Amino acid sequence: MTWLNFVTLNGVAPIKDLHLVSDAGAGEGLMQYHPTRDTELIVCGRANNALSGAYLPSPVLENGSVTPAILVHGVLRALQKRGFKIRLHCYQLGLDNLPDFSGCKLDDVVIHQCEVGKEKALIEAQLIPELKRQASSSEKHLIAESGIGGTTFATVWLKRWLGKEIMFSGSTRDPDKLSRKEQVIKQLLMMSDALQTDVGHFSQDLHLSDPIQRATCALLTAELKELILAGGTMMFAPAIAMDSEIRIENLKIATTRWIFDSPDAAYAASKLPQQCSVLTPNVNFNHSRFSALNKYEQGYVVEGCGLGASLVFAEEQGMSGKEIIDCLDDAVSPWLE
């Protein structure tokens, strides 16, 4: 019996009025609950944390698609049927609320929590030793991120390190939100204008980095033979910024192929460190019977919650495109039929 350890780094970027920048989350005053609720969806197949006193378990989004968290749930359940045992490690980075894993469908769950700015200490004390234990026990891992506002800070870092005008829309296509996001990025670039492009200056400044970036930077300095990060631009930025400081022998970043519909993302990927490889899945969501999944192929949802890496892992285990689509359809059918 082989264990797959699915790690999710949960955090919210320090952006004022974040609900006016991002389409993810549940609106003003509720954005910090989004990563927690997505983790509940991964573990339980439904969200358990209430929003403003209302129980809203559904993964269906306003744009007619579904959150990638429910699709990760479907993949993990399919892997269980193939003989894997699944352990989820939840890292609540600067989030006050804890996930409610009532109705847990996975084999084990572990929760860690830290205050804002304490991410490096938590990663060094808990996650790095755990990854070394997993490697010695021949267990598998995927390290995903579930964040809000992270592409804003990823864009700032990549603009500084690559010296190129690039932009990532993240979770929104709304022109007003994109305009506001551009203004936030300009402000952050002005704040950091006098700083050298030294990752330490950025990762130690709580206004120029977000919790997931800081946690990822801490991971990249670990002496590990292999590290598999599940995410796109949110993982590209720390890897590019850290470059010469990375101690990982074999760094893999697994993400969705939809990210590469963006020329800026493709350019950033081409600038990743030499020991870093990028993996993407082949499965096509147009083969789903649900329009909510077809929308992924139309660019309504690009990445999130480690979906791309989960799909890559499933394909590596020999799951066919049809098998994967069937398990995704099974996961969303209670909400869409």
Side-chain angles (χ1 to χ4, degrees):
M1 189 72 71
T2 302
W3 280 93
L4 170 62
N5 293 274
F6 191 92
V7 181
T8 179
L9 306 175
N10 296 346
V12 175
I15 299 173
K16 184 180 179 182
D17 296 326
L18 182 55
H19 65 289
L20 299 178
V21 174
S22 173
D23 273 347
E28 186 174 5
L30 300 172
M31 301 298 275
Q32 73 157 342
Y33 289 96
H34 183 82
T36 304
R37 286 168 56 84
D38 269 351
T39 307
E40 292 169 348
L41 279 159
I42 292 171
V43 172
C44 309
R46 66 168 191 256
N48 292 322
N49 256 280
L51 293 173
S52 298
Y55 176 57
L56 304 169
S58 175
V60 181
L61 303 176
E62 287 185 8
N63 63 16
S65 63
V66 290
T67 173
I70 191 65
L71 305 184
V72 173
H73 176 77
V75 175
L76 295 182
R77 293 287 283 159
L79 290 170
Q80 284 178 311
K81 292 178 181 178
R82 282 185 158 247
F84 279 89
K85 293 180 78 69
I86 311 293
R87 180 186 296 113
L88 182 131
H89 305 252
C90 173
Y91 282 76
Q92 296 286 88
L93 307 176
L95 300 177
D96 295 332
N97 55 309
L98 291 175
D100 176 353
F101 290 145
S102 300
C104 173
K105 298 291 195 301
L106 304 184
D107 300 287
D108 191 19
V109 289
V110 183
I111 303 174
H112 297 284
Q113 190 176 31
C114 72
E115 298 176 4
V116 170
K118 303 294 184 182
E119 300 86 7
K120 184 175 185 289
L122 178 62
I123 296 304
E124 290 179 345
Q126 298 293 337
L127 184 50
I128 292 173
E130 169 61 16
L131 288 170
K132 291 180 178 178
R133 183 203 66 77
Q134 292 169 17
S136 67
S137 302
S138 299
E139 297 182 7
K140 308 293 186 181
H141 76 266
L142 298 174
I143 301 176
E145 55 86 12
S146 182
I148 302 288
T151 55
T152 298
F153 283 85
T155 302
V156 171
W157 281 33
L158 290 171
K159 279 177 177 284
R160 284 299 305 267
W161 265 267
L162 299 179
K164 183 177 172 64
E165 284 301 313
I166 56 178
M167 184 67 180
F168 302 106
S169 61
S171 66
T172 187
R173 301 169 92 182
D174 181 276
D176 292 334
K177 290 186 177 182
L178 287 173
S179 176
R180 189 177 183 92
K181 181 174 183 175
E182 288 182 7
Q183 292 304 311
V184 171
I185 289 170
K186 286 180 181 178
Q187 291 171 3
L188 290 168
L189 288 170
M190 288 177 61
M191 286 171 56
S192 65
D193 189 53
L195 295 178
Q196 295 179 338
T197 50
D198 181 317
V199 69
H201 293 314
F202 284 75
S203 62
Q204 292 168 23
D205 190 322
L206 302 186
H207 300 291
L208 296 177
S209 59
D210 73 19
I212 295 171
Q213 284 177 317
R214 295 191 289 271
T216 305
C217 286
L219 276 171
L220 291 172
T221 62
E223 293 183 354
L224 298 168
K225 288 188 176 180
E226 183 177 72
L227 188 69
I228 305 174
L229 300 178
T233 53
M234 278 293 297
M235 299 305 188
F236 291 174
I240 289 170
M242 294 289 289
D243 198 353
S244 61
E245 299 179 48
I246 295 175
R247 298 181 188 175
I248 311 297
E249 291 183 25
N250 184 16
L251 176 61
K252 297 179 181 178
I253 299 180
T255 185
T256 70
R257 58 183 165 77
W258 304 301
I259 278 183
F260 295 103
D261 290 339
S262 161
D264 287 341
Y267 178 78
S270 74
K271 299 299 181 180
L272 286 164
Q274 187 174 0
Q275 72 270 45
C276 180
S277 57
V278 179
L279 308 173
T280 58
N282 297 310
V283 63
N284 190 314
F285 280 29
N286 281 329
H287 295 151
S288 169
R289 69 179 189 271
F290 294 109
S291 63
L293 270 70
N294 304 154
K295 284 182 177 291
Y296 277 69
E297 296 290 345
Q298 300 162 25
Y300 282 90
V301 184
V302 176
E303 61 174 320
C305 305
L307 174 60
S310 301
L311 296 171
V312 167
F313 189 86
E315 290 179 347
E316 289 176 344
Q317 307 317 307
M319 288 182 65
S320 67
K322 183 181 185 308
E323 286 176 302
I324 291 173
I325 291 299
D326 285 347
C327 81
L328 300 182
D329 283 356
D330 287 346
V332 299
S333 62
W335 308 103
L336 298 177
E337 286 185 336

